[in-house]
PDB file of all heavy atoms in Angstrom:
ATOM      1  N   THR V  33      29.521  -2.771  19.632  1.00  0.00           N
ATOM      2  CA  THR V  33      30.616  -2.091  18.918  1.00  0.00           C
ATOM      3  C   THR V  33      30.686  -0.553  19.086  1.00  0.00           C
ATOM      4  O   THR V  33      31.733  -0.007  18.850  1.00  0.00           O
ATOM      5  CB  THR V  33      30.376  -2.256  17.315  1.00  0.00           C
ATOM      6  OG1 THR V  33      29.222  -1.478  16.899  1.00  0.00           O
ATOM      7  CG2 THR V  33      30.320  -3.811  16.978  1.00  0.00           C
ATOM      8  N   VAL V  54       7.174   3.920  11.209  1.00  0.00           N
ATOM      9  CA  VAL V  54       8.255   2.829  10.962  1.00  0.00           C
ATOM     10  C   VAL V  54       9.588   3.514  10.939  1.00  0.00           C
ATOM     11  O   VAL V  54       9.743   4.656  10.569  1.00  0.00           O
ATOM     12  CB  VAL V  54       7.908   2.060   9.760  1.00  0.00           C
ATOM     13  CG1 VAL V  54       6.532   1.262   9.795  1.00  0.00           C
ATOM     14  CG2 VAL V  54       7.876   2.879   8.452  1.00  0.00           C
ATOM     15  N   TYR V  60      13.558  10.179   4.149  1.00  0.00           N
ATOM     16  CA  TYR V  60      12.265  10.568   3.505  1.00  0.00           C
ATOM     17  C   TYR V  60      11.961  11.975   3.986  1.00  0.00           C
ATOM     18  O   TYR V  60      12.509  12.414   5.016  1.00  0.00           O
ATOM     19  CB  TYR V  60      11.115   9.697   3.860  1.00  0.00           C
ATOM     20  CG  TYR V  60      11.133   8.281   3.186  1.00  0.00           C
ATOM     21  CD1 TYR V  60      11.872   7.305   3.716  1.00  0.00           C
ATOM     22  CD2 TYR V  60      10.496   8.118   2.099  1.00  0.00           C
ATOM     23  CE1 TYR V  60      11.940   5.978   3.081  1.00  0.00           C
ATOM     24  CE2 TYR V  60      10.469   6.895   1.296  1.00  0.00           C
ATOM     25  CZ  TYR V  60      11.238   5.987   1.817  1.00  0.00           C
ATOM     26  OH  TYR V  60      11.319   4.622   1.299  1.00  0.00           O
ATOM     27  N   VAL V  72       7.543  -9.514   9.176  1.00  0.00           N
ATOM     28  CA  VAL V  72       7.507  -9.978  10.388  1.00  0.00           C
ATOM     29  C   VAL V  72       8.784  -9.595  11.264  1.00  0.00           C
ATOM     30  O   VAL V  72       9.866  -9.672  10.737  1.00  0.00           O
ATOM     31  CB  VAL V  72       7.539 -11.670  10.437  1.00  0.00           C
ATOM     32  CG1 VAL V  72       7.597 -12.264  11.788  1.00  0.00           C
ATOM     33  CG2 VAL V  72       6.282 -12.165   9.770  1.00  0.00           C
ATOM     34  N   LYS V  74      11.529  -9.216  14.707  1.00  0.00           N
ATOM     35  CA  LYS V  74      12.338 -10.149  15.512  1.00  0.00           C
ATOM     36  C   LYS V  74      11.535 -10.974  16.526  1.00  0.00           C
ATOM     37  O   LYS V  74      11.833 -12.118  16.922  1.00  0.00           O
ATOM     38  CB  LYS V  74      13.455  -9.422  16.188  1.00  0.00           C
ATOM     39  CG  LYS V  74      14.439  -8.910  15.219  1.00  0.00           C
ATOM     40  CD  LYS V  74      15.507  -8.069  15.860  1.00  0.00           C
ATOM     41  CE  LYS V  74      16.465  -7.446  14.850  1.00  0.00           C
ATOM     42  NZ  LYS V  74      17.485  -6.594  15.526  1.00  0.00           N
TER      43      LYS V  74
END
Side-chain angles (χ1 to χ4, degrees):
T33 66
V54 296
Y60 287 87
V72 176
K74 293 177 183 175

